[in-house]
Amino acid sequence: DFLFEKDVHIYKPTADGLPEGGDSSATAAAPPVTQNPDTAFAVQFFPEGGDLVGSVHSIVAFKAINSQGLPIDVSGSVYSEQGDTLAAISCVHDGMGSFSLIPKAGVHYFARVTSAGGGSKTFELPAAKTSGVVLHVKNLHGKLFFQLSGSPDASASFGKPRIVVQESGNLVDYVTLDF
């Protein structure tokens, strides 16, 4: 249930844009995109636990890539729709980094990011949910620590949460938690 398998065919394009060993009936490769390299980048945001939850401290990871999908260094800041600066963004390794945020439900958050090439863009962060639970995992000296935080109504809405630990599809541990 936890594994996915699919054949993926990879072709080496030739000078005429056709797959190696292909013929003229094959679909030609799309023409290269000509964009300013300073503005041809994207940043994706990944809240720990999957979602931002209103009034709950969250760690948000991010990944910055150029138009070829390769990592790039970016820096910038996170701000609310009211213009309040809430966090700084800076890559730590391979276009990735993280920042802390305590979002409010119903408020839009943005990241104004500048690439190493000087291009600047603004990205909207995922919206914070009004109710939910955030699981924070910390690795300290080879030991994993779990912190579960929830919105004020989390206990009533979600009951007693459980953590199931599996390795290679085998059950390692099963723990019921209290808020």
Side-chain angles (χ1 to χ4, degrees), residues 109-175:
Y109 296 94
F110 302 89
R112 188 173 294 127
V113 181
T114 302
S115 70
S120 183
K121 283 187 169 185
T122 300
F123 300 93
E124 187 169 2
L125 272 65
K129 295 190 172 195
T130 56
S131 177
V133 176
V134 173
L135 175 66
H136 177 69
V137 180
K138 187 121 182 145
N139 184 350
L140 294 174
H141 311 294
K143 293 184 179 185
L144 292 179
F145 292 89
F146 301 90
Q147 178 182 5
L148 194 64
S149 303
S151 58
D153 66 342
S155 181
S157 298
F158 297 99
K160 291 190 177 250
R162 295 171 195 89
I163 293 180
V164 177
V165 181
Q166 292 185 326
E167 181 179 354
S168 301
N170 299 315
L171 181 65
V172 174
D173 202 356
Y174 179 89
V175 180

Side-chain angles (χ1 to χ4, degrees), residues 28-95:
V33 177
T34 55
Q35 291 182 350
N36 180 345
D38 292 342
T39 60
F41 69 94
V43 180
Q44 297 171 302
F45 298 94
F46 307 98
E48 187 173 41
D51 293 305
L52 291 174
V53 177
S55 303
V56 177
H57 176 265
S58 296
I59 303 294
V60 181
F62 67 90
K63 180 179 181 180
I65 58 172
N66 64 15
S67 60
Q68 286 80 40
L70 300 173
I72 61 168
D73 285 334
V74 297
S75 62
S77 59
V78 174
Y79 62 97
S80 68
E81 62 189 2
Q82 291 83 18
D84 300 324
T85 302
L86 304 171
I89 290 179
S90 180
C91 290
V92 176
H93 176 69
D94 285 341

